[in-house]
Amino acid sequence: MTVTASAAPVRHEQLRIRGLRIHAQICGEGEPLLLYSGIWGEVGLWDRLLPYLDGFQTIAFDPPGIGRSQMPAFPLSMWGLSEFGTAVLDEFGIESAHVRRLVLASTSFGGFAMPGSLEALWHFIHPRSYHPERLERVAGDMFGGRLRKEPELVRSMHIRRPTDTMAALYRMAPLFGWTSLPCLWTIRHPTLVIAGDDDPVTPLVNHRVIATLIPRARLHTVRGGGHLVLLDSADKVGPVITAFLREG
């Protein structure tokens, strides 16, 4: 199916990967750019950023158990979850994505990282937080940044709760007992780390650690930005990302 989300055509596909139905999306034309979403992220979450990625062919997918993708029989490890990205590329016949450069945004290195606000994390995992009316009320405390003053923006961000408790537990499973901290120094690609200074979920200090330990990384801090800085401030970070990817 092909629709038009912005200036570029968007194609949605149902793929079969490791016995699971995986919903994927391709948008635009140009060098392939693989997009990995956050813990509850569906492909629609990227809609606000896509217009700023002109000149790239973006590939995104709903992780297993999220959105229109089937839930696996057993929880996935972080390694297993990461392999779905390359499997999606294989299904589309794409040999490689933009592997020369890496962009990390509103993220963490897992174990040993500075934890986020307990209030934000409670809203994050509570099923009722994702009811449309309640989500708008808690968006500021939950995500910080621009949503503290403009919580109504959350209505258009495709943020939905997991289908049930089991789906939520399966999706959170890769986060437990995992850390990339000992491996960060092995990443040799130029890396752009993006963070808001008002992120209650993944505090700024974690991004500073990541940018310090990855040899060729640099940190871009968005003043007043929250956990969803890629979405609520796409006009600020989109051009920064595109310029970085086109360097060299």
Side-chain angles (χ1 to χ4, degrees):
M1 176 178 66
T2 301
V3 297
T4 301
S6 57
V10 179
R11 188 171 97 241
H12 294 268
E13 298 282 353
Q14 284 290 331
L15 308 177
R16 196 77 180 178
I17 299 176
R18 298 185 181 179
L20 300 176
R21 296 188 310 275
I22 300 296
H23 175 242
Q25 168 187 289
I26 286 188
C27 177
E29 298 179 351
E31 186 171 14
L33 181 64
L34 180 61
L35 307 177
Y36 273 95
S37 62
I39 186 169
W40 307 135
E42 302 180 19
V43 293
L45 208 62
W46 296 103
D47 286 354
R48 288 172 169 264
L49 186 63
L50 291 180
Y52 297 95
L53 300 178
D54 185 46
F56 294 94
Q57 181 187 58
T58 60
I59 304 99
F61 64 98
D62 290 340
I66 297 297
R68 285 175 275 181
S69 289
Q70 185 179 358
M71 189 166 70
F74 302 98
L76 296 171
S77 66
M78 187 62 74
W79 293 108
L81 184 61
S82 67
E83 290 173 352
F84 269 84
T86 54
V88 168
L89 294 181
D90 290 341
E91 287 294 316
F92 282 126
I94 298 173
E95 294 185 4
S96 66
H98 197 302
V99 294
R100 293 185 302 279
R101 291 177 179 270
L102 176 66
V103 179
L104 302 173
S106 302
T107 188
S108 172
F109 46 84
F112 307 110
M114 175 68 72
S117 155
L118 290 179
E119 182 180 14
L121 295 176
W122 169 249
H123 290 314
F124 209 75
I125 64 175
H126 198 293
R128 293 185 179 178
S129 296
Y130 297 88
H131 186 279
E133 293 182 1
R134 179 174 172 81
L135 182 59
E136 189 170 336
R137 291 201 304 271
V138 303
D141 292 332
M142 188 175 181
F143 300 115
R146 187 177 173 186
L147 292 177
R148 294 193 190 277
K149 296 181 179 180
E150 301 174 76
E152 68 278 0
L153 292 175
V154 80
R155 300 175 192 165
S156 61
M157 289 186 180
H158 299 277
I159 298 174
R160 301 181 180 88
R161 70 177 181 86
T163 53
D164 52 43
T165 302
M166 187 63 70
L169 292 174
Y170 271 42
R171 187 66 177 112
M172 293 181 68
L175 301 178
F176 299 112
W178 165 86
T179 181
S180 63
L181 188 62
C183 306
L184 293 176
W185 68 274
T186 67
I187 299 174
R188 299 301 175 180
H189 302 296
T191 302
L192 174 65
V193 182
I194 296 177
D197 62 5
D198 182 28
D199 184 344
V201 180
T202 53
L204 176 60
V205 63
N206 297 318
H207 300 82
R208 288 175 173 156
V209 171
I210 293 172
T212 299
L213 294 182
I214 296 178
R216 301 175 67 188
R218 64 177 184 250
L219 176 65
H220 179 81
T221 304
V222 179
R223 294 183 64 84
H227 189 62
L228 299 182
V229 68
L230 280 183
L231 312 178
D232 62 29
S233 302
D235 58 325
K236 293 182 179 179
V237 298
V240 174
I241 292 173
T242 303
F244 170 75
L245 293 175
R246 288 176 175 161
E247 283 180 9

